[in-house]
Amino acid sequence: MFTGIVEEIAIVKNIAREKENIHLTVSCSFVNELKIDQSVLHNGICLTVVAIENETFTVTAIKETIDVTTIGQWKIGQEINLERGMLANARLDGHIVQGHVDTVGRCVSIEDADGSTYYGFEFDKNVKHTTISKGSITIDGTSLTVVDSGINTFSVAIIPYTKEHTIFKHYEVGQVVNLEFDVIGKYVEKLLHIRSI
């Protein structure tokens, strides 16, 4: 489990394709604290460490992950958000994040608000999940609060600290991002659907 509080911006050092899988090699400051089989959140995608070597670590993404996330579009040298799993005795400063990306979204607007920045996003109308105003959403592994919520659109407001310490500082209109909807909201949606049958 994760919190959506980005721990560090890391760099993709190598991308290798093997059959339908992608092996990503990443560098960050805490490589020496990682271990094989450990889960790490990469732009909101939970991936397992499979190798550690020369101050880098490697993870593998399977076809299912590639099909529903942005990982297939990543490039060598790209910056990504990283977060290690939450400690059992730590504060839950963000919200419950599983690292199971539901779909991708697209940034449709960026607006400077004299101290903060508003980002608008849209996602496929066929996606069964939704957002609510003041609810939680995870964008590329960053836990955020929804400002405005539509059927397949929403906006978030980013303070300068979050913008500087995540890859939000690189976003432009048209940017494709990983979205994980609030897990509690997904359970409520499922229960309501079951009761309506």
Side-chain angles (χ1 to χ4, degrees):
M1 185 175 77
F2 305 91
T3 67
I5 303 301
V6 174
E7 190 170 351
E8 183 173 319
I9 297 175
I11 298 174
V12 176
K13 290 294 192 178
N14 193 47
I15 299 172
R17 294 184 179 269
E18 180 186 15
K19 298 181 180 178
E20 292 189 330
N21 296 341
I22 294 177
H23 305 291
L24 294 167
T25 301
V26 177
S27 70
C28 71
S29 67
F30 53 76
V31 171
N32 63 335
E33 299 174 35
L34 295 176
K35 61 181 183 178
I36 304 296
D37 291 335
Q38 187 169 354
S39 296
V40 180
L41 206 62
H42 304 71
N43 274 9
I45 308 165
C46 179
L47 298 168
T48 302
V49 175
V50 296
I52 301 171
E53 185 178 6
N54 298 329
E55 299 182 1
T56 64
F57 69 94
T58 300
V59 294
T60 301
I62 62 172
K63 185 178 187 301
E64 166 70 16
T65 302
I66 297 164
D67 287 346
V68 299
T69 70
T70 61
I71 201 166
Q73 303 167 28
W74 294 3
K75 295 177 173 57
I76 294 172
Q78 179 173 336
E79 292 186 330
I80 58 173
N81 293 326
L82 280 192
E83 180 191 356
R84 286 178 282 184
M86 179 182 168
L87 296 171
N89 63 348
R91 291 185 179 90
L92 183 58
D93 289 325
H95 73 282
I96 297 171
V97 176
Q98 295 181 293
H100 303 156
V101 173
D102 294 299
T103 191
V104 296
R106 184 176 304 275
C107 181
V108 294
S109 64
I110 300 174
E111 179 184 346
D112 180 34
D114 195 25
S116 62
T117 308
Y118 284 81
Y119 293 82
F121 295 91
E122 67 178 12
F123 54 92
D124 190 325
K125 290 180 180 178
N126 295 319
V127 172
K128 60 184 175 181
H129 305 305
T130 189
T131 58
I132 60 168
S133 179
K134 306 302 182 283
S136 297
I137 186 78
T138 306
I139 304 173
D140 278 341
T142 307
S143 171
L144 295 164
T145 301
V146 174
V147 176
D148 293 312
S149 174
I151 293 172
N152 69 316
T153 62
F154 67 92
S155 65
V156 295
I158 307 293
I159 63 172
Y161 180 89
T162 302
K163 185 175 180 179
E164 182 60 29
H165 291 86
T166 68
I167 61 170
F168 265 88
K169 63 186 173 186
H170 300 308
Y171 283 8
E172 298 176 348
V173 171
Q175 176 83 35
V176 179
V177 299
N178 294 318
L179 299 178
E180 180 183 330
F181 296 89
D182 181 52
V183 66
I184 296 170
K186 289 189 283 190
Y187 275 111
V188 171
E189 287 170 352
K190 181 74 171 181
L191 289 170
L192 289 174
H193 175 71
I194 291 170
R195 288 186 177 187
S196 68
I197 295 175

